[in-house]
Amino acid sequence: MVHSLWGNGVLEAGLTVPSVIPTVRVPQQREARTGACAFRVVFPIRNRICALKLLTLSTWLGELRELLPAASPDLSSSAVVRWPAYAGATCPLCGAFEGSAIASHPSPCGLCAAAPPTFDVARSLFAYAGDVRAAIVASKYAARPYPVDAVVLRLREALAGRWRDLIPDEAPPTVVPVPAHPWKYFRRGFNLPALIASRLSRHAGLPFDPLALSRTREQGPQARLPGILRHENVEGAFRVPRSRKVPRAILLLDDVYTSGATAEACARALKSAGADSIVVVTVARAVP
């Protein structure tokens, strides 16, 4: 069944509209993941974004082509069943895809060994490529209906199978979607992570809290930034609404895991508000 993206209320959007118009501010200096520090040294604060102008025209055109959806991707339920789930080795913390050989006692990847993430663990079902990528891009940028229910069934199978140890029976987590910025929600008319999170909570019998997090600002789309700028772009961009009680165990759901910057920023906000355990689940993960 292909679910329509239109006509969903604010509850499924996973956002709250701020009382004042968000303003752009320079984020506080903070040590991000490996690579960001070197960029700070080379480029002063006011010149970091300007440094991107050094990219050639062909590079920008290549980035633009990456955002364009396939002419007519197959978004049927039968097509989703054929999407190949990643079954290789992963980092036990951030879930980075590490190849086909699965170790009995895997070690954290280099990034996690140097700076463990704020969240407890992250897992992604598919590689962000081929039909998986085409479906997400077509949904976000071409207003094509995303096959929410079919994708949720695949996620539920993983949670009940090889990801079973992520959700202990004695402490079922509350599903929390990564919120969209209000202006992006009104422009698109939906928030894809919230649509998926809502259906997953119903299918898996888990609590759902679409308003646990709000997005207060966004300097620019993450998809257009290199990894070294993604952490700064979302630094302080998420918060827990005042006086809202945060669930102790959370399943944070997003559509794509790229650098981990968004998951990290959300986890910091949630743990600062009282969350104890955060499991990040995404539909897809970007691969080199």
Side-chain angles (χ1 to χ4, degrees):
M1 172 181 178
V2 176
H3 178 76
S4 173
L5 297 172
W6 312 105
N8 292 282
V10 173
L11 276 183
E12 284 201 350
L15 58 87
T16 52
V17 179
S19 56
V20 296
I21 297 176
T23 58
V24 175
R25 62 183 180 84
V26 178
Q28 296 179 352
Q29 295 297 308
R30 183 185 182 277
E31 293 300 322
R33 306 279 287 207
T34 302
C37 300
F39 193 80
R40 291 192 180 98
V41 172
V42 176
F43 297 105
I45 295 175
R46 63 171 180 250
N47 293 334
R48 287 176 195 154
I49 302 299
C50 294
L52 297 179
K53 295 179 181 178
L54 296 176
L55 296 174
T56 63
L57 177 60
S58 61
T59 301
W60 282 112
L61 291 176
E63 291 293 328
L64 179 59
R65 282 193 294 269
E66 283 295 308
L67 292 177
L68 295 177
S72 183
D74 187 352
L75 303 181
S76 65
S77 298
S78 58
V80 174
V81 171
R82 296 192 299 270
W83 290 357
Y86 178 78
T90 61
C91 169
L93 295 180
C94 74
F97 295 171
E98 296 185 326
S100 57
I102 300 178
S104 56
H105 300 286
S107 301
C109 66
L111 286 177
C112 289
T118 303
F119 52 82
D120 295 81
V121 65
R123 291 292 182 269
S124 303
L125 187 56
F126 307 106
Y128 187 56
D131 292 339
V132 176
R133 176 189 172 277
I136 292 176
V137 172
S139 168
K140 286 185 172 181
Y141 303 106
R144 293 288 303 277
Y146 191 74
V148 175
D149 289 296
V151 170
V152 164
L153 288 176
R154 297 291 304 272
L155 287 171
R156 184 186 176 188
E157 290 173 0
L159 288 170
R162 55 197 177 95
W163 295 348
R164 185 67 188 86
D165 59 334
L166 300 182
I167 302 180
D169 293 330
E170 64 276 8
T174 296
V175 183
V176 174
V178 170
H181 189 277
W183 306 126
K184 182 176 289 185
Y185 172 78
F186 290 129
R187 185 171 68 249
R188 290 180 179 169
F190 68 97
N191 176 30
L192 185 56
L195 292 176
I196 299 170
S198 174
R199 299 302 185 277
L200 180 62
S201 69
R202 295 178 192 176
H203 283 279
L206 297 173
F208 177 53
D209 189 351
L211 302 179
L213 272 177
S214 64
R215 189 163 193 154
T216 57
R217 68 173 181 83
E218 183 176 77
Q219 287 184 286
Q222 288 285 84
R224 300 177 186 175
L225 295 176
I228 54 179
L229 287 180
R230 287 174 179 260
H231 287 271
E232 282 198 2
N233 193 51
V234 294
E235 182 71 29
F238 301 94
R239 69 177 179 86
V240 175
R242 187 174 301 175
S243 74
R244 189 170 189 86
K245 186 177 180 180
V246 173
R248 299 181 68 86
I250 291 174
L251 191 157
L252 182 68
L253 194 136
D254 204 358
D255 52 355
V256 182
Y257 188 113
T258 305
S259 67
T262 298
E264 183 72 17
C266 290
R268 283 198 299 269
L270 290 167
K271 286 205 168 181
S272 296
D276 289 334
S277 170
I278 299 176
V279 172
V280 178
V281 171
T282 67
V283 174
R285 184 181 183 105
V287 291

